[in-house]
C-alpha cells in the first residue's frame, strides 16, 4: 500500500491514553502540542476511532499559528465508525475541513456525512482495504491519533511505519483507563527506537521501521 502510517499519541508514565470513563485528561504539554500540529500539517489525513470522537470531541484541524505555519490546506479528517455512532453535532463534522467516516456495510446513511463503506471481518475493518481507499483520495501520509482500539488494530495488522509517543511525567493509576494497546504489545516486533528526546517536562520517543 502506498500510504505511510504515522502513529502519534501521548501517554502517562503508566501507559494510559486518557482518563477512564468520561474524565478528560491533558497528557501532552505546550511544546509537544506544537509538534503535533506541525505533524498534522504535514499529513494528508488524520484518523481517529469513534471512541475518541465520543470521549474528546476533537476538531482534528491544524492550529497553524501554534505550529508556526502560514495557513494551508487542512488535512482530511477520517473516523473509523462501523456503526455510525458519531453524533451529528460532533466537531469532526464541522465544516472546517473535509471528513470521511468509514462505516460497515450495514450502517444507515445520514445527511451531510460522507460515508465510505468497508465490510467488517469479526467486527474489524481490514486496514489494508481502508488504506487502499484512502490512497484513492490522494492520501500518502496518514497520521493516526488513536485511541486505544484504533492503535491496537493498526499494530496488530502491522500497518504502522512510524510512531511518535510522548510520555508525560504523571502516573494516572486508573486500572480502567485506556492504554496504548488493549493486550500485550512489543513494539520491537514492528519498529525500532530511533530517538528519545526531552520535550519540556516529558519525553518523546521516536520509532520507525
Ligand atoms: N493520548 C492520546 O494521544 C489519545 C489520542 C486519541 C484518543 N485518546 C483517548 O483514547 C480513548 C478512546 O479509546 P477507544 O479505544 O475508546 O477509542 P478509539 O480507538 O478512538 O475508538 C474505538 C472504536 O472505533 C471503532 N474502530 C476503531 N478501529 C477500528 C477498526 N480497525 N475496525 C473497526 N472499527 C474500529 C470501533 O467502533 P465500534 O465500537 O462502534 O465498533 C471501536 O470501538 C479516550 O479516552 C481518548 O481520550 C488518547
Amino acid at each position: 500500500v502506498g500510504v505511510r502510517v504515522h502513529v502519534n499519541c501521548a501517554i502517562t508514565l503508566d501507559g494510559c491514553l486518557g482518563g477512564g470513563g468520561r474524565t478528560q485528561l491533558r497528557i501532552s504539554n505546550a511544546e509537544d502540542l506544537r509538534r503535533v500540529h506541525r505533524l498534522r500539517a504535514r499529513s494528508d489525513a488524520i484518523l481517529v476511532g469513534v471512541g475518541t470522537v465520543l470521549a474528546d470531541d476533537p476538531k482534528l484541524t491544524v492550529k497553524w499559528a501554534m505550529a508556526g505555519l502560514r495557513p494551508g490546506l487542512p488535512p482530511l479528517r477520517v473516523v473509523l465508525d462501523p456503526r455510525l455512532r458519531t453524533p451529528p453535532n460532533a466537531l469532526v463534522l464541522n465544516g472546517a475541513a473535509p471528513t470521511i467516516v468509514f462505516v460497515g456495510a450495514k450502517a444507515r446513511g445520514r445527511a451531510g456525512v460522507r460515508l465510505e463503506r468497508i465490510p467488517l471481518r469479526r467486527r474489524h475493518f481490514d486496514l489494508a482495504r481502508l488504506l487502499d481507499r484512502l490512497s484513492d483520495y490522494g492520501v500518502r501520509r496518514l497520521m493516526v491519533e488513536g485511541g486505544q482500539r484504533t492503535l491496537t488494530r493498526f499494530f496488530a495488522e502491522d500497518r504502522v511505519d512510524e510512531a511518535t509517543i510522548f510520555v508525560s511525567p504523571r502516573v494516572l493509576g486508573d486500572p480502567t483507563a485506556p492504554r496504548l494497546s488493549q493486550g500485550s504489545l512489543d513494539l520491537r516486533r514492528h519498529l525500532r527506537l530511533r530517538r528519545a528526546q526531552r520535550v519540556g517536562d516529558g519525553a518523546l520517543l521516536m520509532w520507525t521501521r
Side-chain angles (χ1 to χ4, degrees):
V1 197
V3 181
R4 191 174 166 81
V5 176
H6 186 140
V7 159
N8 184 83
C9 63
I11 59 173
T12 61
L13 202 46
D14 53 342
C16 299
L17 286 171
R22 301 231 138 242
T23 15
Q24 270 222 37
L25 197 64
R26 160 65 43 90
I27 298 168
S28 209
N29 60 27
E31 243 174 296
D32 187 57
L33 273 178
R34 263 197 299 281
R35 180 193 60 82
V36 170
H37 281 278
R38 269 188 235 118
L39 179 58
R40 281 185 178 180
R42 288 201 307 274
S43 307
D44 302 309
I46 307 166
L47 179 148
V48 296
V50 62
T52 296
V53 170
L54 293 169
D56 303 343
D57 197 17
K59 284 204 225 31
L60 300 185
T61 50
V62 179
K63 292 200 169 98
W64 300 97
M66 184 193 276
L69 298 169
R70 278 193 300 170
L73 269 186
L76 180 67
R77 301 179 288 190
V78 178
V79 183
L80 301 190
D81 187 4
R83 298 173 276 166
L84 191 54
R85 295 192 290 143
T86 299
N89 60 348
L91 289 175
V92 78
L93 298 178
N94 71 12
T99 304
I100 300 177
V101 180
F102 280 89
V103 295
K106 289 187 203 137
R108 281 240 197 101
R110 191 199 290 159
V113 188
R114 189 198 286 176
L115 300 182
E116 281 283 337
R117 290 182 194 279
I118 296 197
L120 291 161
R121 262 198 332 215
R122 282 190 273 125
R123 296 191 59 223
H124 300 308
F125 293 128
D126 175 349
L127 294 181
R129 284 187 72 165
L130 176 102
L131 294 175
D132 273 345
R133 205 68 75 81
L134 285 175
S135 126
D136 293 342
Y137 277 94
V139 173
R140 296 291 170 266
R141 279 170 305 186
L142 172 68
M143 179 176 174
V144 174
E145 293 206 14
Q148 173 179 256
R149 286 199 54 202
T150 300
L151 297 179
T152 300
R153 293 310 305 166
F154 270 86
F155 281 114
E157 294 180 37
D158 200 18
R159 291 290 159 190
V160 182
D161 299 300
E162 194 170 342
T164 38
I165 302 174
F166 175 84
V167 186
S168 93
R170 257 170 80 181
V171 170
L172 186 64
D174 177 353
T176 68
R179 313 271 158 166
L180 193 55
S181 169
Q182 276 182 306
S184 68
L185 168 69
D186 187 344
L187 275 187
R188 291 172 301 182
R189 287 187 50 203
H190 309 274
L191 304 169
R192 290 260 167 75
L193 179 63
R194 305 292 176 188
R195 272 181 84 188
Q197 175 188 313
R198 187 170 72 80
V199 178
D201 60 5
L204 183 67
L205 304 177
M206 286 166 270
W207 306 72
T208 58
R209 276 209 193 269

